[in-house]
Amino acid sequence: LNLRIEKEMISSLKIDDDLAAQYAEVIQHADKAILQPFTPDLIGHFWQYGRGIDHPNNPQKILLLPDSFLWPLPLETFPSLTALIGTARSLVCRDLSLHLLAQRTRLTGPNMVPKSSVLLSDPFNEDKLLPSEDPKSETIAMLHKRLLDAKVITNTEKSLTGKTLTVSAEDVKVMLADSTMFFALGFGRFFSVLNSRHFFGQDLRHVKLLALFHRAQNDNSFRRQTKSESTKTITQQAMENTYGAPLLASFRGVACMVQATNPMPTSLNMRLFESFVKSVQGGKTVAEATEASLQMQERPEQRYARLLEGGAAPGGAAPADGKKGGKAPAAPAAGEAVASPPEDLLPHHTKMSVMIIGLAWPSVDGAEAAPAGGKKKR
């Protein structure tokens, strides 16, 4: 289904609603077959005082340890799980094993590399506006420049975009070696620019966060991706999928990784990425930054519209405030069309795409962030 959705997005700005509904139905069936049968046992063992009671012994967060077979499933969004812990994604993350999780905590000492963040965006310069889009819309290259100018990305010298030069594997190696936070935004798959063999040769113990938002799609990227995948062996493709990539990153020392696993429209990918980066650089933990990004609000008619140059709201409309329960639009003047109230910017299919692996609850610097109110949660 994801492959069909990916093909549909070659010439479309939106996610096909029918395919997205089929995907959601498959996830519901998976939940009924995998999690639902033993949910009562989980409640009886961990929620002995009841799920509706605020008791210190009740679990506050959940760590998932799925195997390679269950890994591609968006377990964090399964109804059986959200019924236990709530819908907040900041309360659930995953890892490959308890051993790897323990190993990550041992790597949160003094950095071997000065704290800095770098950005790799659209390395193959494939972002093009469609004829149906506003010609004043912001491209990925423009977003790249805006984030650097605003100092959201601190290492401007090492940050690269395909608009200004052809990015090579060696360039990416240098970026990984000289940063503690590596952000990537682009089309297709990240390992098209740096294959798994080169990636596995890097010492990444200084990298606290590896964030790969690389599932946007258009005609140029689809053709390049198809050609690139045809030259790889089955083993190499397996090491570069949604399970193999975090496995390699973990073995090389990365403390936390965020990856997009489903194809998504370019406009949503850009807005999701910008919100996440700003939240992390603003001091939020990876889990909190992800939660804030997934809760963005927008009016339905502007959902798939890109921001305009400089980050202005699309269509000349006043932007939604980006938060749940945000301000309602002002009453229209006589003769004006009534604006729709804001709702979730990201469709459910896109929300299921975001996967957090590793140390998501401590701050990126390695210190536990205290929740609001000054008390730590268990």
Side-chain angles (χ1 to χ4, degrees):
L1 284 175
N2 269 336
L3 181 59
R4 291 173 62 187
I5 292 173
E6 198 170 42
K7 289 181 178 179
E8 287 291 330
M9 288 197 305
I10 292 176
S11 57
S12 175
L13 298 175
K14 304 179 180 180
I15 297 174
D16 186 274
D17 291 335
D18 292 336
L19 293 177
Q22 292 179 40
Y23 183 87
E25 185 177 357
V26 170
I27 297 305
Q28 289 183 348
H29 286 303
D31 175 49
K32 291 179 180 179
I34 297 171
L35 279 184
Q36 203 173 90
F38 62 86
T39 298
D41 295 331
L42 291 176
I43 296 174
H45 185 78
F46 293 105
W47 284 268
Q48 298 179 9
Y49 301 94
R51 288 187 293 118
I53 299 176
D54 185 13
H55 194 279
N57 288 340
N58 282 351
Q60 302 296 319
K61 298 172 182 175
I62 293 180
L63 174 68
L64 303 173
L65 300 172
D67 60 13
S68 59
F69 179 75
L70 296 176
W71 188 271
L73 296 172
L75 300 170
E76 296 86 345
T77 64
F78 274 22
S80 296
L81 189 65
T82 57
L84 295 177
I85 199 71
T87 58
R89 288 291 296 277
S90 59
L91 303 178
V92 185
C93 72
R94 63 172 66 192
D95 212 331
L96 296 135
S97 70
L98 285 175
H99 175 78
L100 269 176
L101 180 64
Q103 190 69 19
R104 295 180 203 275
T105 62
R106 297 174 59 186
L107 298 174
T108 56
N111 292 332
M112 297 176 288
V113 174
K115 179 184 176 182
S116 66
S117 57
V118 294
L119 170 59
L120 173 67
S121 64
D122 192 15
F124 297 98
N125 192 26
E126 294 167 323
D127 187 26
K128 300 289 188 283
L129 296 177
L130 294 178
S132 58
E133 293 184 286
D134 189 330
K136 296 182 180 179
S137 295
E138 187 174 58
T139 63
I140 291 181
M142 294 177 183
L143 173 61
H144 179 101
K145 183 178 185 300
R146 181 158 60 85
L147 292 176
L148 265 59
D149 290 344
K151 305 300 181 183
V152 176
I153 301 297
T154 58
N155 195 337
T156 58
E157 182 180 349
K158 294 294 175 63
S159 296
L160 300 174
T161 175
K163 182 73 173 180
T164 56
L165 74 149
T166 303
V167 180
S168 68
E170 294 301 320
D171 293 326
V172 180
K173 289 181 183 180
V174 173
M175 295 173 69
L176 286 168
D178 293 342
S179 63
T180 55
M181 291 187 288
F182 180 93
F183 299 100
L185 172 67
F187 294 84
R189 292 176 173 81
F190 171 73
F191 286 105
S192 294
V193 62
L194 179 72
N195 67 46
S196 55
R197 284 173 289 186
H198 289 156
F199 183 80
F200 195 65
Q202 307 306 300
D203 182 353
L204 303 177
R205 287 175 293 173
H206 57 280
V207 177
K208 305 305 179 186
L209 175 61
L210 180 69
L212 307 179
F213 289 77
H214 256 262
R215 290 309 306 273
Q217 197 64 260
N218 61 17
D219 183 61
N220 290 338
S221 65
F222 185 81
R223 293 175 184 275
R224 171 188 54 77
Q225 185 69 50
T226 302
K227 181 178 180 180
S228 174
E229 293 295 316
S230 67
T231 64
K232 298 179 180 179
T233 64
I234 295 178
T235 301
Q236 186 175 353
Q237 290 181 26
M239 294 308 299
E240 297 176 359
N241 63 20
T242 57
Y243 179 77
L247 181 66
L248 291 180
S250 301
F251 282 166
R252 301 318 299 156
V254 173
C256 183
M257 178 175 175
V258 177
Q259 63 177 351
T261 60
N262 294 341
M264 66 179 74
T266 306
S267 59
L268 295 184
N269 196 26
M270 291 171 65
R271 296 185 69 173
L272 174 64
F273 176 79
E274 180 181 358
S275 174
F276 177 80
V277 174
K278 287 183 175 179
S279 296
V280 170
Q281 296 288 32
K284 293 182 182 291
T285 66
V286 173
E288 292 168 344
T290 303
E291 176 71 15
S293 302
L294 294 179
Q295 289 185 341
M296 286 189 295
Q297 300 269 292
E298 184 56 89
R299 298 182 181 90
E301 60 270 18
Q302 301 294 347
R303 168 172 288 152
Y304 292 103
R306 298 191 190 210
L307 297 180
L308 302 181
E309 296 178 12
D321 70 351
K323 297 179 181 179
K324 292 275 188 183
K327 299 177 182 178
E336 288 185 1
V338 178
S340 303
E343 59 182 39
D344 285 353
L345 168 68
L346 303 178
H348 189 53
H349 179 267
T350 303
K351 289 185 177 182
M352 290 189 286
S353 171
V354 183
M355 183 182 292
I356 311 171
I357 306 102
L359 299 179
W361 295 314
S363 68
V364 177
D365 288 330
E368 182 76 24
K375 296 181 179 180
K376 281 192 177 181
K377 289 185 179 181
R378 291 183 175 225

